[in-house]
C-alpha cells in the first residue's frame, strides 16, 4: 500500500474546523490543513479550532509556497505553521511562519517566528476583534505575538 502525501506529512484530513480540507491546501477560505504537530501546537496554545480556522492558520509543506509569500532563502523552512496577519481593514497584510526546525541567527539563537524579509510591521487585528476598533469605550490589548491573539 502506498502512503498519500497527507499521510507522509502527518496531515489530518478530519472534518474538524482547523483540519477540514476540500482539496488544495492553499485554499483562500481560511480553512486549511494542519499537520498533527501544528494542530497540537495550536491546541497547546489554547487556541480553539474555530479561531484557528477563522484566522486561516494552516501548515505549509512547500518551500515554493513560502517563497511565493515573500519568505526568502533560509527563511523558507518547511514544514511550517502559517499565521496570516490581518490589518485593521480585515485584509491579510502579511504572514508569519513558525518553522518546525527554526534557523539559528548569528548570535546562536533560534528564530522561532519568521516574517518576510523587507515586510513592514502591521498591527494584527483578529477578524472577530475588528468590530471593536471604533468603540472608544472598549479596551484593546496589544500583545507580543499573533499566535494566541483573538479570544
Amino acid at each position: 500500500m502506498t502512503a498519500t502525501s497527507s499521510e507522509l506529512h502527518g496531515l489530518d484530513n478530519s472534518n474538524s474546523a482547523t483540519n477540514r480540507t476540500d482539496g488544495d491546501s492553499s485554499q483562500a477560505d481560511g480553512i486549511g490543513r494542519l499537520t498533527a504537530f501544528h494542530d497540537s501546537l495550536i491546541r497547546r496554545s489554547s487556541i480553539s479550532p474555530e479561531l484557528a480556522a477563522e484566522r486561516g492558520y494552516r501548515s505549509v509543506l512547500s518551500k515554493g509556497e513560502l517563497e511565493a509569500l515573500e519568505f526568502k532563502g533560509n527563511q523558507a523552512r518547511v514544514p511550517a505553521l502559517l499565521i496570516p496577519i490581518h490589518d485593521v481593514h480585515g485584509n491579510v497584510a502579511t504572514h508569519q511562519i513558525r518553522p518546525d526546525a527554526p534557523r539559528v541567527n548569528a548570535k546562536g539563537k533560534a528564530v522561532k517566528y519568521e516574517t518576510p524579509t523587507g515586510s513592514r510591521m502591521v498591527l494584527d487585528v483578529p477578524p472577530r476583534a475588528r468590530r471593536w476598533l471604533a468603540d472608544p469605550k472598549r479596551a484593546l490589548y496589544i500583545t507580543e505575538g499573533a499566535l494566541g491573539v483573538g479570544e
Side-chain angles (χ1 to χ4, degrees):
M1 173 183 244
T2 304
T4 66
S5 176
S6 293
E7 291 167 334
L8 288 173
H9 294 288
L11 287 172
D12 180 351
N13 290 323
S14 68
N15 288 327
S16 75
T18 57
N19 296 320
R20 191 185 87 221
T21 181
D22 297 318
D24 188 332
S25 65
S26 63
Q27 56 196 328
D29 66 2
I31 302 173
R33 295 170 15 171
L34 294 171
T35 63
F37 177 74
H38 296 152
D39 183 62
S40 174
L41 177 69
I42 287 170
R43 291 176 190 275
R44 285 192 321 263
S45 297
S46 299
I47 299 170
S48 71
E50 295 78 21
L51 181 63
E54 178 182 304
R55 289 189 49 83
Y57 296 161
R58 63 185 173 86
S59 297
V60 176
L61 306 175
S62 162
K63 184 174 181 165
E65 186 176 353
L66 291 179
E67 290 170 342
L69 294 171
E70 303 299 323
F71 290 93
K72 305 289 185 206
N74 202 25
Q75 282 190 312
R77 302 176 71 88
V78 291
L81 175 64
L82 182 72
I83 305 165
I85 305 298
H86 299 83
D87 65 18
V88 297
H89 305 289
N91 302 312
V92 174
T94 191
H95 295 85
Q96 284 189 329
I97 58 169
R98 187 183 189 283
D100 292 10
R103 69 183 170 95
V104 176
N105 68 16
K107 295 180 181 179
K109 185 176 178 183
V111 181
K112 287 174 63 174
Y113 292 90
E114 297 273 5
T115 304
T117 300
S119 67
R120 61 185 177 83
M121 294 303 296
V122 177
L123 180 64
D124 182 36
V125 180
R128 66 175 62 176
R130 275 193 67 235
R131 66 181 182 260
W132 300 319
L133 289 179
D135 183 354
K137 295 177 184 166
R138 182 77 175 200
L140 297 177
Y141 297 92
I142 309 285
T143 64
E144 181 181 1
L147 186 59
V149 174
E151 289 199 279

